Amino acid sequence: MTPVSRQVGRPPVWLVALLVFVAFAFQGTRGIWEPDEGRYSSAGVNMHESGDWLVPTLDREHPHLTKPPMTYWALATSFALLGHNEWGARLPAALAYIGTGLFVFGLGRRFCPSKPWLPATVWGLSFAPVIAANVVSTDPVLTFFETAAMYAFVEAWSRDDTDARRWYLAMWLGWALAFLTKGPPGLLPLLAMIAFVGLHDRGKLRALFAPAGLLLFVVVASSWFALVIAQEPDRLGYFLGYEVYDRVFTKTHDRNSEWYGPLEIYLPVFLVGALPWGAIALRAAGGPRATWRQWRARLRDRDRDWLLLAWWLLLPLAVFCLARSRLQLYILPLFVPIALMLSRPLARWHEANTGRFRNVAIGTALVLVALKGVLAYSPSDRDARDFTAQLERAIDVRTTDEIVFVDMRPFYGLNLYIDRTIEGIEIGQDRLPYSKFVARDSLCDEVAERELAVYAVKAHRADPFLVAARRCGAQPAYIGQLHADGNDIRLYTVDLPASAPAR
């Protein structure tokens, strides 16, 4: 691997400015979209308000353990700094985008030494990373930690002195933080890295698995899991069963588990996500046939740099395709090795040194920022901010303790805009596929609490709700109607007679 020249030790100012500009443009303009952004934002708000940084919650009461806490920690810290608003919700993703771009520059010094800024430019101006940086999710944060770990590995792998030990320690810390962000999926590039070293550079295995690094990884990666399992030992079965086995081998999570899921979910992301650089790199390489010949030649010559990138891309992709739970942003981290691969033919392209290439980069940045602006101002019936405005027009939120969603997915994003508890209950026989650690109280238990609650019910489910409320000895009263998530939603209050006992 190519040594690093002192002349390219730091990223150029223009690259940092570009990443900052793209990351923060319109970042606080768009409202919180349900369901995913709402869940993450609500958990971060509750963590900040409660001061409980160990167990995340969506409704201020029941544990929400579907993800490790790193993203929630980042959100809670951001809310503490910026307040409960869209800027606070999207700051972690923006910073992760910038940090990842800088690590890609560091990797570019090794993989593309003639133009180390090129991989970071390609990554930072690709469709998928830019759009993902505007989404409240674990995936931008995960991409940052995975890229940091791979950067540390490449630095350690390129050295034969005592400095390599420090880089290996930094690498294991990166993998531990990736594990604390998304659990086992965060370690897929680690498996690719181990496979690469074992097959192509066995002499590095002993240094890679130094006891100090492994100990650091185990302590950091397992700390949170050990604490929450100590609180309730049954959670170990939940983590291993529902969150690992079911996601990989069953369709329990109902996330594109069909055999054609990879083609439907991942292929469009790959085709669009690397635009415009995938098409430009293909042209720079001389077309599809020339590209295929070059790849075969690198594999035949056992080009170690190329083999590392191939393992980094293909092994995680194979696991994502085989697993039965699939969402578009799962493959976001793979755009880092893709950017490094695309940069190699681009670096040899004569137009990479001309004003035309600069104009393409500037034009791409402006188009991507304009797209963020369009998304920011586009109406959506999943916008929790719009739902909040409708709610405030229908009722006096100040006189309400909580908003209870009945037999429907709660709009947890409301928690960012109104300081009220957001809950969900179920009265139907067919239980929604929530984790058992996202508990659901019964309607009668909820009514018996005698809190000032507003019940949100889909219009076509209103009659079963009214019947169930009366069976609890309560008198429901209609107070208004909203429209969100493609449904007309009716609002009710429920009065429990004073003579009825509280449960």
Side-chain angles (χ1 to χ4, degrees):
M1 191 166 286
T2 307
V4 175
S5 169
R6 291 184 178 180
Q7 284 74 19
V8 294
R10 295 180 179 178
V13 174
W14 65 262
L15 177 60
V16 177
L18 176 68
L19 293 172
V20 171
F21 169 65
V22 174
F24 287 105
F26 298 106
Q27 196 72 351
T29 306
R30 179 171 62 82
I32 297 299
W33 284 2
E34 299 290 344
D36 292 344
E37 287 193 320
R39 288 198 303 269
Y40 288 116
S41 298
S42 182
V45 167
N46 291 337
M47 184 173 284
H48 170 229
E49 289 186 337
S50 69
D52 183 354
W53 290 67
L54 180 63
V55 180
T57 68
L58 294 179
D59 56 10
R60 306 184 183 185
E61 182 179 356
H62 302 107
H64 179 65
L65 304 175
T66 59
K67 294 290 186 295
M70 182 59 69
T71 302
Y72 307 131
W73 289 343
L75 286 167
T77 302
S78 183
F79 289 138
L81 294 173
L82 300 181
H84 297 171
N85 52 56
E86 293 88 351
W87 279 103
R90 296 200 174 94
L91 178 63
L95 295 179
Y97 166 87
I98 296 170
T100 302
L102 297 179
F103 278 121
V104 174
F105 170 80
L107 290 165
R109 295 185 303 168
R110 299 290 185 182
F111 289 96
C112 189
S114 63
K115 297 179 177 66
W117 47 266
L118 187 55
T121 303
V122 170
W123 183 86
L125 295 182
S126 291
F127 179 85
V130 172
I131 296 303
N134 190 238
V135 177
V136 184
S137 169
T138 61
D139 299 288
V141 180
L142 176 67
T143 301
F144 169 75
F145 286 124
E146 286 188 359
T147 307
M150 289 299 292
Y151 170 74
F153 165 70
V154 169
E155 288 296 317
W157 183 44
S158 306
R159 301 165 187 262
D160 293 319
D161 52 23
T162 55
D163 286 344
R165 298 177 183 175
R166 292 194 289 268
W167 283 109
Y168 280 126
L169 285 175
M171 178 202 73
W172 283 112
L173 177 61
W175 292 128
L177 296 176
F179 191 81
L180 278 177
T181 303
K182 206 167 183 177
L187 302 183
L188 290 178
L190 171 61
L191 297 181
M193 185 191 75
I194 293 172
F196 165 77
V197 174
L199 292 173
H200 308 292
D201 202 355
R202 293 184 182 179
K204 301 283 188 179
L205 281 174
R206 184 174 181 180
L208 179 66
F209 290 105
L214 292 176
L215 179 62
L216 177 64
F217 171 79
V218 171
V219 170
V220 175
S222 66
S223 56
W224 177 79
F225 289 93
L227 290 173
V228 296
I229 291 171
Q231 284 186 343
E232 189 173 332
D234 286 347
R235 290 172 177 168
L236 176 61
Y238 163 74
F239 287 130
L240 296 179
Y242 184 80
E243 292 297 339
V244 178
Y245 181 86
D246 285 346
R247 286 184 185 274
V248 175
F249 298 107
T250 75
K251 59 181 181 179
T252 300
H253 291 259
D254 193 25
R255 291 182 173 178
N256 308 292
S257 59
E258 299 83 2
W259 66 267
Y260 53 83
L263 297 176
E264 184 179 47
I265 300 301
Y266 298 142
L267 183 59
V269 177
F270 276 121
L271 293 177
V272 177
L275 289 176
W277 306 105
I280 297 174
L282 195 63
R283 177 184 174 187
R289 290 186 178 181
T291 301
W292 176 244
R293 287 196 298 269
Q294 293 171 19
W295 288 359
R296 290 179 60 186
R298 291 189 180 101
L299 292 174
R300 183 176 58 252
D301 297 339
R302 302 181 69 81
D303 182 329
R304 294 199 307 169
D305 291 4
W306 187 259
L307 288 170
L308 175 58
L309 295 177
W311 276 105
W312 186 358
L313 171 64
L314 297 178
L315 192 148
L317 177 59
V319 175
F320 286 135
C321 289
L322 292 173
R324 301 290 298 277
S325 178
R326 307 179 183 106
L327 290 177
Q328 287 85 351
L329 286 183
Y330 286 0
I331 61 173
L332 177 66
L334 303 185
F335 282 92
V336 173
I338 288 174
L340 292 164
M341 287 179 165
L342 295 179
S343 297
R344 302 189 80 176
L346 286 173
R348 297 189 298 271
W349 193 32
H350 67 281
E351 292 191 12
N353 294 316
T354 68
R356 182 178 179 183
F357 185 88
R358 179 193 60 203
N359 293 338
V360 170
I362 294 174
T364 301
L366 294 177
V367 168
L368 290 171
V369 168
L371 179 60
K372 289 179 67 177
V374 170
L375 292 174
Y377 288 102
S378 297
S380 171
D381 65 356
R382 293 189 175 186
D383 190 333
R385 184 170 60 192
D386 177 69
F387 190 94
T388 302
Q390 293 187 59
L391 190 66
E392 290 177 334
R393 288 193 296 267
I395 65 172
D396 186 356
V397 177
R398 294 171 299 178
T399 64
T400 302
D401 293 328
E402 58 186 10
I403 312 296
V404 182
F405 291 80
V406 182
D407 274 352
M408 63 178 292
R409 184 170 53 200
F411 267 39
Y412 286 113
L414 292 172
N415 200 17
L416 190 70
Y417 303 103
I418 56 176
D419 186 20
R420 297 295 181 270
T421 300
I422 310 300
E423 294 189 20
I425 62 173
E426 297 172 3
I427 59 176
Q429 295 297 319
D430 297 328
R431 307 295 288 179
L432 298 176
Y434 291 109
S435 154
K436 67 177 181 179
F437 290 105
V438 183
R440 292 293 182 268
D441 296 329
S442 72
L443 177 60
C444 292
D445 289 336
E446 189 67 39
V447 170
E449 292 177 0
R450 296 183 181 274
E451 294 179 319
L452 298 175
V454 171
Y455 293 82
V457 189
K458 292 180 181 179
H460 69 275
R461 293 287 300 160
D463 289 342
F465 164 74
L466 296 175
V467 171
R470 291 174 183 132
R471 285 176 179 171
C472 297
Q475 296 297 322
Y478 173 80
I479 58 173
Q481 182 165 305
L482 314 174
H483 183 84
D485 201 11
N487 295 281
D488 291 325
I489 300 174
R490 296 182 181 179
L491 303 176
Y492 294 88
T493 58
V494 172
D495 294 325
L496 190 67
S499 58
R503 300 189 181 189

